[in-house]
C-alpha cells in the first residue's frame, strides 16, 4: 500500500469514529475529540513495546533517592517521553464503569512533555462530556482498533494523517 493510500485509509477510519459523535457533538466540534485521541493512540502505540520495562524500572528505582527520574525512564522507553501508568488504551476497556477516571489517570501517567501536549487540547472537558453522553467507551474502543505503531505508520505518514484530519475538520 502506498503512503497516500495508508494515510487515506487511516483518515477514513478515524473519520468513521467521528460519526459516533453525531448528535451529541456538532460537526465543528469533532476535532476536539478526534485530534487528541489520535495523539493519545499514537503515544500509546509508540510506548507499547517498552511499557513493561518502564513499569519495572519505576518499581526498581522507588526509594532510591533519585529526584529526577525522567532521564532514566526516557532511556528505558527509548523516547523523549514515557508513561508510568499500569494502564494503556486497551486496558481501559476492561473497566467500562470507570473509563473516564481511568483515562484521566492514564493521561496523568505520561511524562510532563507528553502530558502538556494532551493538556493543550483541554481534553479533560471532552472526556467528561463523552462520558456523560455514554460515548467515551465507544470512542476509546474504536481507537484501540487502529494501529498507529511507528512500524505501521511512519512519523512522516503520521504528520500527513494529522494534516488530513485537520483539513477534514476545517471543511
Amino acid at each position: 500500500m502506498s503512503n497516500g493510500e495508508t494515510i487515506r485509509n487511516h483518515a477514513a477510519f478515524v473519520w468513521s469514529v467521528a460519526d459516533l459523535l453525531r448528535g451529541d457533538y456538532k460537526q465543528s466540534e469533532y476535532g476536539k475529540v478526534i485530534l487528541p485521541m489520535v495523539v493519545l493512540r499514537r503515544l500509546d502505540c509508540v510506548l507499547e513495546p517498552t511499557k513493561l520495562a518502564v513499569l519495572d524500572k519505576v518499581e526498581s528505582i522507588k526509594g532510591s533517592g533519585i529526584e529526577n527520574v525522567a532521564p532514566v525512564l526516557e532511556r528505558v522507553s527509548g523516547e523523549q517521553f514515557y508513561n508510568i501508568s499500569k494502564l494503556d488504551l486497551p486496558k481501559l476497556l476492561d473497566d467500562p464503569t470507570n473509563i473516564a477516571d481511568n483515562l484521566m489517570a492514564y493521561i496523568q501517567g505520561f511524562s510532563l512533555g507528553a502530558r502538556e501536549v494532551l493538556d493543550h487540547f483541554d481534553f479533560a472537558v471532552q472526556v467528561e462530556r463523552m462520558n456523560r453522553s455514554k460515548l467515551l467507551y465507544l470512542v476509546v474502543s474504536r481507537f484501540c482498533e487502529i494501529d498507529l505503531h511507528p512500524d505501521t505508520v511512519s512519523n512522516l505518514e503520521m504528520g500527513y494523517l494529522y494534516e488530513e484530519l485537520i483539513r477534514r475538520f476545517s471543511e
Side-chain angles (χ1 to χ4, degrees):
M1 199 177 326
S2 74
N3 285 355
E5 287 177 272
T6 300
I7 293 162
R8 281 190 296 278
N9 286 343
H10 281 80
F13 177 83
V14 171
W15 190 253
S16 76
V17 177
D19 287 339
L20 294 172
L21 303 174
R22 189 168 298 163
D24 292 283
Y25 281 79
K26 297 175 192 164
Q27 189 170 351
S28 62
E29 297 175 310
Y30 292 175
K32 293 178 180 180
V33 171
I34 300 302
L35 297 175
M37 282 300 300
V38 167
V39 171
L40 190 58
R41 181 61 179 151
R42 176 60 171 206
L43 296 176
D44 192 59
C45 288
V46 167
L47 293 178
E48 185 261 329
T50 60
K51 180 75 171 178
L52 292 177
V54 168
L55 294 177
D56 288 345
K57 183 54 90 174
V58 167
E59 283 300 312
S60 73
I61 61 177
K62 277 186 180 173
S64 68
I66 298 174
E67 289 184 30
N68 184 8
V69 298
V72 174
L73 297 179
E74 288 169 357
R75 191 170 36 256
V76 173
S77 76
E79 302 294 338
Q80 294 179 354
F81 62 97
Y82 55 88
N83 187 299
I84 60 169
S85 170
K86 292 182 177 160
L87 297 168
D88 57 23
L89 282 182
K91 285 181 184 166
L92 292 173
L93 302 177
D94 294 341
D95 187 4
T97 306
N98 297 304
I99 193 164
D101 291 339
N102 289 341
L103 177 56
M104 294 313 299
Y106 173 59
I107 290 170
Q108 290 303 308
F110 278 101
S111 55
L112 182 61
R115 210 171 45 244
E116 285 175 347
V117 169
L118 294 166
D119 288 347
H120 177 74
F121 289 106
D122 200 18
F123 192 49
V125 172
Q126 301 311 317
V127 169
E128 183 56 37
R129 183 175 173 187
M130 285 188 290
N131 194 46
R132 278 193 318 268
S133 301
K134 307 289 188 233
L135 293 171
L136 184 58
Y137 183 88
L138 294 170
V139 170
V140 171
S141 66
R142 289 299 305 275
F143 268 94
C144 287
E145 295 173 24
I146 190 168
D147 183 3
L148 295 180
H149 190 279
D151 292 342
T152 306
V153 181
S154 71
N155 288 338
L156 180 64
E157 290 171 324
M158 195 67 212
Y160 286 140
L161 169 61
Y162 206 75
E163 284 180 9
E164 174 66 13
L165 291 170
I166 289 170
R167 184 190 64 75
R168 286 187 185 200
F169 289 128
S170 66
E171 286 179 347

